[in-house]
């Protein structure tokens, strides 16, 4: 078994997918010395994604009233919030893990405003089905319905029977 798992070619892809799944991002199933490598690979992937934040247009200098509002409500300066030094990956890692019964794609839909570039990568990695079981099951059902006793079934009739079987 060990030899087969060592030859697994999609190991990197699976590790990044797990890191992007908000339920498993602590990567407890990976050795602790390999976890930092996964996050570094994810950071490199993030560099290839363009920045999706809107470009701010230079405006006139801020008036004193806007400055006073910031002081009264203790609002941070927009430049501080959107600073490129605050890395999306490190902010994502600090976020608590999601519950096990939650949907990771739904989680990214809710948090895509906070992590726009990571959300783009997550949608790409997490949208791939984990198994081909539903497809295999359909072919198996097709084989049971279209046996030698029903060889005269029209394709449309077979399609309707498969749909009925799936819906029921």
């Amino acid at each position: 078994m060990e030899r087969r798992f060592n030859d697994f070619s999609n190991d990197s892809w699976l590790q990044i997918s797990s890191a992007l799944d908000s339920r498993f991002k602590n990567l407890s199933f990976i050795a602790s010395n390999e976890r930092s490598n996964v996050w570094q690979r994810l950071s490199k992937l993030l560099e290839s994604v363009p920045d999706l934040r809107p470009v701010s247009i230079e405006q006139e200098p801020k008036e004193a009233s806007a400055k006073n509002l910031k002081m009264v409500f203790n609002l941070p300066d927009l430049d501080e919030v959107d600073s490129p030094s605050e890395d999306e990956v490190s902010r994502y890692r600090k976020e608590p893990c999601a519950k096990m019964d939650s949907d990771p794609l739904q989680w990214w839909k809710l948090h895509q405003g906070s992590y726009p570039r990571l959300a783009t990568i997550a949608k790409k990695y997490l949208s791939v089905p984990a198994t081909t079981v539903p497809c295999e099951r359909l072919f198996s059902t097709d084989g049971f319905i279209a046996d030698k006793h029903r060889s005269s079934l029209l394709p449309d009739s077979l399609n309707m029977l498969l749909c009925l079987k799936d819906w029921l």
Side-chain angles (χ1 to χ4, degrees):
M1 277 304 252
E2 200 171 306
R3 181 178 50 86
R4 293 182 108 179
F5 282 113
N6 287 340
D7 293 340
F8 195 70
S9 61
N10 288 331
D11 195 34
S12 173
W13 183 85
L14 289 171
Q15 289 175 348
I16 289 176
S17 296
S18 298
L20 290 170
D21 189 334
S22 56
R23 301 170 298 173
F24 305 110
K25 68 179 179 180
N26 58 7
L27 303 175
S28 59
F29 58 91
I30 300 174
S32 58
N33 57 350
E34 293 179 27
R35 291 178 194 157
S36 60
N37 293 336
V38 174
W39 293 112
Q40 288 173 355
R41 280 183 280 169
L42 186 59
S43 295
K44 286 183 181 181
L45 270 174
L46 194 65
E47 291 172 4
S48 66
V49 177
D51 193 2
L52 302 173
R53 292 178 299 188
V55 178
S56 62
I57 300 172
E58 291 297 324
Q59 298 177 352
E60 296 177 15
K62 298 176 184 174
E63 297 180 14
S65 61
K67 200 172 200 178
N68 290 340
L69 281 175
K70 283 183 185 177
M71 290 173 61
V72 170
F73 292 108
N74 196 19
L75 297 173
D77 192 11
L78 289 177
D79 297 333
E80 294 173 7
V81 174
D82 295 334
S83 69
S85 63
E86 190 169 29
D87 189 23
E88 278 188 37
V89 175
S90 62
R91 285 188 293 125
Y92 169 67
R93 287 180 70 183
K94 291 176 187 174
E95 185 101 19
C97 289
K99 294 180 181 177
M100 284 300 189
D101 61 346
S102 65
D103 180 10
L105 289 174
Q106 196 66 26
W107 189 92
W108 279 107
K109 186 175 183 180
L110 292 172
H111 292 86
Q112 70 183 359
S114 302
Y115 314 104
R117 294 173 12 191
L118 266 178
T120 304
I121 295 173
K123 288 174 189 173
K124 186 184 296 184
Y125 274 78
L126 297 176
S127 63
V128 177
T131 66
T132 59
V133 170
C135 182
E136 301 284 340
R137 190 174 292 137
L138 179 67
F139 285 120
S140 177
T141 304
D142 182 37
F144 291 133
I145 293 174
D147 61 359
K148 64 181 178 181
H149 300 291
R150 293 184 175 175
S151 61
S152 62
L153 272 176
L154 295 173
D156 289 339
S157 300
L158 181 62
N159 191 23
M160 284 187 247
L161 287 171
L162 280 172
C163 286
L164 283 173
K165 169 71 173 139
D166 187 46
W167 293 338
L168 297 175

